[in-house]
Amino acid sequence: KNQVEQSPQSLIILEGKNCTLQCNYTVSPFSNLRWYKQDTGRGPVSLTIMTFSENTKSNGRYTATLDADTKQSSLHITASQLSDSASYICVVSDRGSTLGRLYFGRGTQLTVWP
Amino acid sequence: NAGVTQTPKFQVLKTGQSMTLQCAQDMNHEYMSWYRQDPGMGLRLIHYSVGAGITDQGEVPNGYNVSRSTTEDFPLRLLSAAPSQTSVYFCASSPGGSSYNEQFFGPGTRLTVL
């Protein structure tokens, strides 16, 4: 069964600290993996997208990694800020075409305290 | 550009009532979709459209209708609201149907069915 599991479910860190969020998937075939940030009361916003051949991709203080062999991805946030408080959602696609289906994780709720 | 707009932001219905959730985008995107987001679950696809006049069902289409008469608008109709349809609804658009295309999400409509 195609699934996307994220951990931890929630996380609290102090401002300025680093953190890493995990995403494990069983989706097959695999096309790409995207991380979204969703602020409270807002729609998700894309942070990064990675295909099979990409191991690492950065977007400012956000760095995503992908291990397609173990079907794991992580999102590392460096020097966290209060504005990083949000839900982070991992999304895996099984095809790159219009026929592709998106599998959404349940998200990790990150809270950054001052 | 306003991006993707949704109205209303909040709505309370009684069981059996009908209503239409509005979605509009000004980016000339061909692909539009509707999702629902429930606590503890990932986003689930309700319906999608690959262009004006073309719609198709997603993962959870029962109880919802859509139409796409223009590129800009993609309304979602609840025919006879049920408490199980209490959720947050997101409309999204993208330049194409490929999962490589970034989806741009609206701010969401929070619907409560009593």
Side-chain angles (χ1 to χ4, degrees):
Chain A
K1 181 179 180 183
N2 289 326
Q3 286 184 318
V4 176
E5 300 289 342
Q6 292 187 242
S7 63
Q9 185 175 351
S10 62
L11 180 63
I12 300 174
I13 63 174
L14 294 177
E15 186 179 16
K17 298 297 186 182
N18 303 335
C19 68
T20 301
L21 314 180
Q22 300 290 344
C23 173
N24 295 341
Y25 61 92
T26 59
V27 176
S28 182
F30 172 85
S31 174
N32 58 78
L33 184 148
R34 195 184 290 273
W35 283 93
Y36 282 91
K37 177 187 179 188
Q38 184 177 19
D39 293 316
T40 301
R42 309 288 292 272
V45 175
S46 178
L47 293 174
T48 65
I49 180 173
M50 288 183 293
T51 60
F52 185 88
S53 60
E54 296 174 298
N55 300 116
T56 303
K57 184 165 283 188
S58 293
N59 178 359
R61 294 178 297 101
Y62 301 100
T63 300
T65 65
L66 173 65
D67 186 334
D69 291 331
T70 62
K71 298 188 177 182
Q72 295 179 326
S73 176
S74 65
L75 181 68
H76 185 75
I77 303 175
T78 304
S80 61
Q81 300 177 358
L82 298 179
S83 58
D84 292 331
S85 294
S87 177
Y88 292 84
I89 302 171
C90 176
V91 184
V92 180
S93 174
D94 59 2
R95 288 177 181 85
S97 68
T98 305
L99 298 176
R101 176 175 169 177
L102 300 179
Y103 296 86
F104 287 80
R106 299 179 183 182
T108 292
Q109 184 64 49
L110 174 65
T111 302
V112 180
W113 283 3
Chain B
N1 283 354
V4 180
T5 58
Q6 293 183 237
T7 56
K9 195 166 181 60
F10 301 95
Q11 183 70 49
V12 178
L13 293 177
K14 295 181 180 178
T15 297
Q17 287 185 317
S18 63
M19 79 159 295
T20 299
L21 307 185
Q22 301 292 343
C23 173
Q25 53 92 8
D26 61 359
M27 297 173 283
N28 201 31
H29 286 171
E30 290 296 322
Y31 186 89
M32 296 186 73
S33 53
W34 276 102
Y35 293 88
R36 60 178 290 173
Q37 186 175 42
D38 300 297
M41 299 185 70
L43 284 148
R44 291 183 292 170
L45 181 65
I46 304 172
H47 285 285
Y48 65 96
S49 169
V50 298
I54 307 171
T55 64
D56 206 346
Q57 296 181 350
E59 181 185 357
V60 288
N62 292 342
Y64 307 95
N65 270 3
V66 291
S67 60
R68 184 98 178 268
S69 56
T70 67
T71 299
E72 294 78 19
D73 301 299
F74 190 42
L76 178 72
R77 297 184 188 84
L78 279 70
L79 309 174
S80 178
S84 61
Q85 293 178 305
T86 293
S87 187
V88 181
Y89 291 86
F90 289 99
C91 177
S93 75
S94 67
S98 167
S99 62
Y100 294 110
N101 297 127
E102 179 179 351
Q103 290 202 72
F104 294 84
F105 286 84
T109 293
R110 184 174 294 273
L111 175 67
T112 301
V113 182
L114 303 176

